């Protein structure tokens, strides 16, 4: 049985390296590190709608509004740091760090 600290839970299965869960009004993991050419899938596990939208102007991430269980995928082809936000809940932020 895995040991847990108070206030922390251990996931039954590890999150795959190319998936971001949207749950409890947060992107999990908040920072995802991947290699160029990787397709990332965001899945909304909340009952509220969310978006995945690049921070600032000109970024590549522009999801539609995701209902519960809705998904959005994007393939990162260039190295860099891609910050994003939920436009409905701007306190929700995340980053994808892409290496070559």
């Amino acid at each position: 049985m895995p040991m847990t600290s108070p206030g922390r839970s251990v996931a039954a299965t590890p999150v795959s390296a190319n998936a971001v869960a949207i749950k409890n009004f947060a992107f999990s993991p908040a920072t995802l590190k991947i290699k160029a050419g990787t397709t990332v899938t965001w899945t909304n596990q909340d009952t509220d709608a969310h978006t995945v939208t690049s921070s600032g102007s000109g970024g590549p991430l522009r999801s539609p509004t995701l209902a519960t269980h809705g998904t959005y995928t994007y393939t990162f082809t260039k190295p860099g740091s891609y910050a994003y936000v939920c436009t409905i809940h701007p306190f929700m932020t995340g980053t994808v760090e892409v290496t070559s």
Side-chain angles (χ1 to χ4, degrees), residues 58-69:
L61 302 174
R62 285 190 171 67
S63 79
T65 299
L66 302 175
T68 303
H69 305 299

Side-chain angles (χ1 to χ4, degrees), residues 11-95:
T13 56
V15 174
S16 64
N18 60 349
V20 177
I22 306 170
K23 59 184 175 183
N24 300 319
F25 290 87
F27 295 108
S28 179
T31 300
L32 182 65
K33 296 180 181 187
I34 60 168
K35 292 199 173 291
T38 301
T39 299
V40 176
T41 301
W42 287 263
T43 303
N44 184 6
Q45 298 175 4
D46 278 342
T47 54
D48 286 59
H50 296 295
T51 69
V52 178
T53 307
S54 290
S55 299
S57 60
L61 302 174
R62 285 190 171 67
S63 79
T65 299
L66 302 175
T68 303
H69 305 299
T71 61
Y72 173 67
T73 59
Y74 182 81
T75 301
F76 292 87
T77 57
K78 296 180 180 176
S81 183
Y82 298 83
Y84 61 90
V85 62
C86 171
T87 57
I88 301 167
H89 308 100
F91 59 87
M92 293 175 58
T93 60
T95 305

